[in-house]
Amino acid sequence: MRTDTPVQIRLQDYRPSDFLIDRVDLDVRLAPHDTRITARLALRLNPAGRTGVPLVLDGDDLVLEGLELDGVPLAADAYAASPAGLTLHAPPQGPFELTIATRVDPTANTKLMGLYRSNGVYCTQCEADGFRRITYFLDRPDVMAVYTTRIEAERAEAPVLLGNGNPVEAGDVPGTGRHFSVWHDPHPKPAYLFALVGGALDRVAQDFTTMEGRAVAVAVYVEPGKAPRAAYALDAVIRSMAWDEATFGRAYDLDVFNVVAVSDFNMGAMENKGLNLFNDKYVLASPETATDGDYAAIERIIAHEYFHNWSGNRVTCRDWFQLCLKEGLTVFRDQEFCADMRSRAVHRIGEVRNLRARQFPEDAGPLRHPVRPGAYAEINNFYTATVYDKGAEIVRMLRTLIGADAFRAGMDRYFADNDGTAATVEDFLAAFAAVTGRDLTAFARWYERPGTPTLAVTRAYDAASRRCTLGFRQSLEAAGPPLVIPVALVP
Ligand code: SER
Ligand code: ZN
């Protein structure tokens, strides 16, 4: 049990990073107990940050094996390294390149964060802060870089090697029994979206052509022998791609889209750029035993991770306080997809039941927190029904408030204004304010106020004038000004 008070990280203390990383070249040599990672980072001062300060890179459980600045090994007194961080005391004030060699043991990594092995398959989980378990880095979502990753492994142990982005090169390392593949992701991304996979995997695949005319090779990888059980997941990916084009005008942006199912995965699934990773219970379905509910769950989670490609990846979060910006919005998008694929009314009833069963109690108990929390000690504790499901309901209310057409226009505006950046809830609302001319300041209270408001509705019908008067009264335990509650009158 820890007895010290955990350090609280507060939204109001947000400060831009003092340094930026534009490019990351990774060389990962996989081995069960002794994986070697060489990271070449192109760094520069952030114009929005401070000058003359040390460079402090995050680490977690790392062993430093080598460190070079612009190709020259660094003197021992120029830096300080520990498993939890790497500090350069006096970094250059112009652009510079840092080459960092680290060593990790994927087999011993039972936290399932960073690089680990699941049933003999190498895989990664980097959200929220797992990348710092692979190499020293500015492991925060507002530091976005273009990644090139070379992955090398024993061919017999890991015949399939996958990375983010597009495959650019593959081959053997002569005379070693090892092979490699190189991946380039042209879209700048935060470190939490990094992923790689290496293992013996079977594949089912289908081609998809986007509305922009891009040919995409879509594939689902599973443990050997399980490919027939992946057909439904593959179909769900294809339908998600078509739906996001038709509904939100969002097209896929790489030449490949890979989904990998592994047996050990803490989060249900993860939206790594071009390489979504899943707990295999959300991918595999046997027609003989899977229920309608199993199929619905696979469809929903496949769609959720795919939709993150725009709501989360192309537009990411400035900091982890903005988690609802990607999660609430993406849950809303997966709900709408499932409603279109199935019965809208049945689906909505299911969502509201889920909200009442899981989120209302959370919001009424000691774990209550705003959809955008103001402080946290451990961000992993905030992947909650409140952030996800209440976050989705706020987006739904926004659509009710401004109408479906203005909502779509606002979404277009949000993606256009924030593409390639790390955004905030304020940026999101600003897009809808811009297209509608409405002041959404009062609506924004939903993000800050915990608790479930009660809405009392009265109805008085006056037969003589044939007028019906509706009265609404809201009450909320937490003190503060009223919340904006849109009410739709359906004739
Ligand atoms: N980002 C992941 C998701 O899709 C975490 O589970 O929700
Ligand atoms: Zn998500």
Side-chain angles (χ1 to χ4, degrees), residues 127 267-271 304-305 308 326-327 383 388:
E127 185 177 2
M267 302 205 167
M270 180 63 209
E271 70 264 23
H304 179 97
E305 305 311 332
H308 268 312
K326 73 179 180 81
E327 295 305 344
Y383 288 75
Y388 277 65

PDB file of all heavy atoms in Angstrom, residues 127 267-271 304-305 308 326-327 383 388, ligand 1:
ATOM      1  N   GLU A 127      -1.019   3.680 -25.059  1.00  0.00           N
ATOM      2  CA  GLU A 127      -1.907   4.639 -24.393  1.00  0.00           C
ATOM      3  C   GLU A 127      -2.080   4.194 -22.947  1.00  0.00           C
ATOM      4  O   GLU A 127      -2.351   3.017 -22.706  1.00  0.00           O
ATOM      5  CB  GLU A 127      -3.278   4.684 -25.067  1.00  0.00           C
ATOM      6  CG  GLU A 127      -4.157   5.767 -24.448  1.00  0.00           C
ATOM      7  CD  GLU A 127      -5.534   5.911 -25.120  1.00  0.00           C
ATOM      8  OE1 GLU A 127      -5.861   5.156 -26.041  1.00  0.00           O
ATOM      9  OE2 GLU A 127      -6.264   6.795 -24.664  1.00  0.00           O
ATOM     10  N   MET A 267      -6.763  -3.158 -22.178  1.00  0.00           N
ATOM     11  CA  MET A 267      -7.850  -2.340 -22.692  1.00  0.00           C
ATOM     12  C   MET A 267      -8.565  -3.236 -23.720  1.00  0.00           C
ATOM     13  O   MET A 267      -7.939  -4.121 -24.288  1.00  0.00           O
ATOM     14  CB  MET A 267      -7.298  -1.091 -23.343  1.00  0.00           C
ATOM     15  CG  MET A 267      -6.445  -0.255 -22.396  1.00  0.00           C
ATOM     16  SD  MET A 267      -6.422   1.459 -22.909  1.00  0.00           S
ATOM     17  CE  MET A 267      -5.719   2.293 -21.512  1.00  0.00           C
ATOM     18  N   GLY A 268      -9.829  -3.029 -23.964  1.00  0.00           N
ATOM     19  CA  GLY A 268     -10.535  -3.902 -24.912  1.00  0.00           C
ATOM     20  C   GLY A 268      -9.870  -3.906 -26.267  1.00  0.00           C
ATOM     21  O   GLY A 268      -9.710  -4.945 -26.913  1.00  0.00           O
ATOM     22  N   ALA A 269      -9.439  -2.724 -26.690  1.00  0.00           N
ATOM     23  CA  ALA A 269      -8.823  -2.581 -28.000  1.00  0.00           C
ATOM     24  C   ALA A 269      -8.140  -1.218 -28.064  1.00  0.00           C
ATOM     25  O   ALA A 269      -8.329  -0.395 -27.178  1.00  0.00           O
ATOM     26  CB  ALA A 269      -9.883  -2.677 -29.087  1.00  0.00           C
ATOM     27  N   MET A 270      -7.346  -1.022 -29.124  1.00  0.00           N
ATOM     28  CA  MET A 270      -6.563   0.213 -29.193  1.00  0.00           C
ATOM     29  C   MET A 270      -6.395   0.676 -30.628  1.00  0.00           C
ATOM     30  O   MET A 270      -6.087  -0.115 -31.525  1.00  0.00           O
ATOM     31  CB  MET A 270      -5.202  -0.043 -28.522  1.00  0.00           C
ATOM     32  CG  MET A 270      -4.280   1.147 -28.526  1.00  0.00           C
ATOM     33  SD  MET A 270      -4.977   2.525 -27.573  1.00  0.00           S
ATOM     34  CE  MET A 270      -4.239   3.911 -28.437  1.00  0.00           C
ATOM     35  N   GLU A 271      -6.564   1.978 -30.810  1.00  0.00           N
ATOM     36  CA  GLU A 271      -6.666   2.579 -32.144  1.00  0.00           C
ATOM     37  C   GLU A 271      -5.328   3.014 -32.752  1.00  0.00           C
ATOM     38  O   GLU A 271      -5.295   3.970 -33.536  1.00  0.00           O
ATOM     39  CB  GLU A 271      -7.591   3.794 -32.046  1.00  0.00           C
ATOM     40  CG  GLU A 271      -7.025   5.010 -31.276  1.00  0.00           C
ATOM     41  CD  GLU A 271      -7.435   5.095 -29.820  1.00  0.00           C
ATOM     42  OE1 GLU A 271      -7.789   4.052 -29.230  1.00  0.00           O
ATOM     43  OE2 GLU A 271      -7.382   6.208 -29.260  1.00  0.00           O
ATOM     44  N   HIS A 304     -15.536   1.411 -33.396  1.00  0.00           N
ATOM     45  CA  HIS A 304     -15.001   2.414 -32.466  1.00  0.00           C
ATOM     46  C   HIS A 304     -13.525   2.684 -32.773  1.00  0.00           C
ATOM     47  O   HIS A 304     -13.120   3.840 -32.948  1.00  0.00           O
ATOM     48  CB  HIS A 304     -15.187   1.917 -31.025  1.00  0.00           C
ATOM     49  CG  HIS A 304     -14.652   2.851 -29.994  1.00  0.00           C
ATOM     50  ND1 HIS A 304     -15.452   3.760 -29.338  1.00  0.00           N
ATOM     51  CD2 HIS A 304     -13.402   3.029 -29.507  1.00  0.00           C
ATOM     52  CE1 HIS A 304     -14.701   4.449 -28.496  1.00  0.00           C
ATOM     53  NE2 HIS A 304     -13.452   4.025 -28.572  1.00  0.00           N
ATOM     54  N   GLU A 305     -12.745   1.622 -32.839  1.00  0.00           N
ATOM     55  CA  GLU A 305     -11.300   1.818 -33.061  1.00  0.00           C
ATOM     56  C   GLU A 305     -11.050   2.402 -34.449  1.00  0.00           C
ATOM     57  O   GLU A 305     -10.197   3.262 -34.618  1.00  0.00           O
ATOM     58  CB  GLU A 305     -10.534   0.510 -32.875  1.00  0.00           C
ATOM     59  CG  GLU A 305     -10.762  -0.188 -31.531  1.00  0.00           C
ATOM     60  CD  GLU A 305     -10.610   0.704 -30.320  1.00  0.00           C
ATOM     61  OE1 GLU A 305      -9.848   1.680 -30.377  1.00  0.00           O
ATOM     62  OE2 GLU A 305     -11.277   0.421 -29.294  1.00  0.00           O
ATOM     63  N   HIS A 308     -11.705   6.136 -34.546  1.00  0.00           N
ATOM     64  CA  HIS A 308     -10.651   6.938 -33.916  1.00  0.00           C
ATOM     65  C   HIS A 308      -9.649   7.465 -34.956  1.00  0.00           C
ATOM     66  O   HIS A 308      -8.938   8.428 -34.681  1.00  0.00           O
ATOM     67  CB  HIS A 308      -9.874   6.094 -32.905  1.00  0.00           C
ATOM     68  CG  HIS A 308     -10.404   6.151 -31.501  1.00  0.00           C
ATOM     69  ND1 HIS A 308     -10.720   7.334 -30.865  1.00  0.00           N
ATOM     70  CD2 HIS A 308     -10.626   5.166 -30.580  1.00  0.00           C
ATOM     71  CE1 HIS A 308     -11.121   7.068 -29.628  1.00  0.00           C
ATOM     72  NE2 HIS A 308     -11.095   5.765 -29.421  1.00  0.00           N
ATOM     73  N   LYS A 326     -11.674  12.644 -27.580  1.00  0.00           N
ATOM     74  CA  LYS A 326     -11.624  11.533 -28.527  1.00  0.00           C
ATOM     75  C   LYS A 326     -12.567  10.404 -28.130  1.00  0.00           C
ATOM     76  O   LYS A 326     -13.166   9.780 -28.994  1.00  0.00           O
ATOM     77  CB  LYS A 326     -10.198  11.027 -28.737  1.00  0.00           C
ATOM     78  CG  LYS A 326      -9.574  10.221 -27.605  1.00  0.00           C
ATOM     79  CD  LYS A 326      -8.167   9.782 -27.999  1.00  0.00           C
ATOM     80  CE  LYS A 326      -7.451   8.958 -26.941  1.00  0.00           C
ATOM     81  NZ  LYS A 326      -7.821   7.539 -26.933  1.00  0.00           N
ATOM     82  N   GLU A 327     -12.714  10.134 -26.830  1.00  0.00           N
ATOM     83  CA  GLU A 327     -13.510   8.969 -26.441  1.00  0.00           C
ATOM     84  C   GLU A 327     -15.013   9.235 -26.487  1.00  0.00           C
ATOM     85  O   GLU A 327     -15.773   8.435 -27.018  1.00  0.00           O
ATOM     86  CB  GLU A 327     -13.073   8.448 -25.070  1.00  0.00           C
ATOM     87  CG  GLU A 327     -11.639   7.898 -25.043  1.00  0.00           C
ATOM     88  CD  GLU A 327     -11.369   6.806 -26.074  1.00  0.00           C
ATOM     89  OE1 GLU A 327     -12.323   6.230 -26.623  1.00  0.00           O
ATOM     90  OE2 GLU A 327     -10.178   6.532 -26.337  1.00  0.00           O
ATOM     91  N   TYR A 383     -10.350   6.101 -17.554  1.00  0.00           N
ATOM     92  CA  TYR A 383     -11.010   5.485 -18.709  1.00  0.00           C
ATOM     93  C   TYR A 383     -12.349   4.924 -18.220  1.00  0.00           C
ATOM     94  O   TYR A 383     -12.513   3.726 -18.050  1.00  0.00           O
ATOM     95  CB  TYR A 383     -10.098   4.422 -19.342  1.00  0.00           C
ATOM     96  CG  TYR A 383      -8.943   5.065 -20.071  1.00  0.00           C
ATOM     97  CD1 TYR A 383      -7.873   5.604 -19.374  1.00  0.00           C
ATOM     98  CD2 TYR A 383      -8.965   5.198 -21.450  1.00  0.00           C
ATOM     99  CE1 TYR A 383      -6.839   6.245 -20.042  1.00  0.00           C
ATOM    100  CE2 TYR A 383      -7.932   5.827 -22.125  1.00  0.00           C
ATOM    101  CZ  TYR A 383      -6.870   6.347 -21.404  1.00  0.00           C
ATOM    102  OH  TYR A 383      -5.858   6.990 -22.072  1.00  0.00           O
ATOM    103  N   TYR A 388     -16.330   8.192 -21.220  1.00  0.00           N
ATOM    104  CA  TYR A 388     -16.758   7.581 -22.480  1.00  0.00           C
ATOM    105  C   TYR A 388     -18.250   7.823 -22.760  1.00  0.00           C
ATOM    106  O   TYR A 388     -18.620   8.387 -23.787  1.00  0.00           O
ATOM    107  CB  TYR A 388     -16.497   6.065 -22.454  1.00  0.00           C
ATOM    108  CG  TYR A 388     -15.090   5.663 -22.813  1.00  0.00           C
ATOM    109  CD1 TYR A 388     -14.012   6.018 -22.002  1.00  0.00           C
ATOM    110  CD2 TYR A 388     -14.822   4.920 -23.946  1.00  0.00           C
ATOM    111  CE1 TYR A 388     -12.716   5.627 -22.317  1.00  0.00           C
ATOM    112  CE2 TYR A 388     -13.521   4.522 -24.274  1.00  0.00           C
ATOM    113  CZ  TYR A 388     -12.478   4.880 -23.457  1.00  0.00           C
ATOM    114  OH  TYR A 388     -11.204   4.502 -23.780  1.00  0.00           O
TER     115      TYR A 388
HETATM  116  N1  SER B   1      -8.194   4.255 -26.658  1.00  0.00           N
HETATM  117  C1  SER B   1      -8.746   2.960 -26.367  1.00  0.00           C
HETATM  118  C2  SER B   1     -10.205   3.019 -26.760  1.00  0.00           C
HETATM  119  O1  SER B   1     -10.515   2.814 -27.878  1.00  0.00           O
HETATM  120  C3  SER B   1      -8.560   2.618 -24.952  1.00  0.00           C
HETATM  121  O2  SER B   1      -9.231   1.490 -24.589  1.00  0.00           O
HETATM  122  O3  SER B   1     -11.044   3.363 -26.002  1.00  0.00           O
END
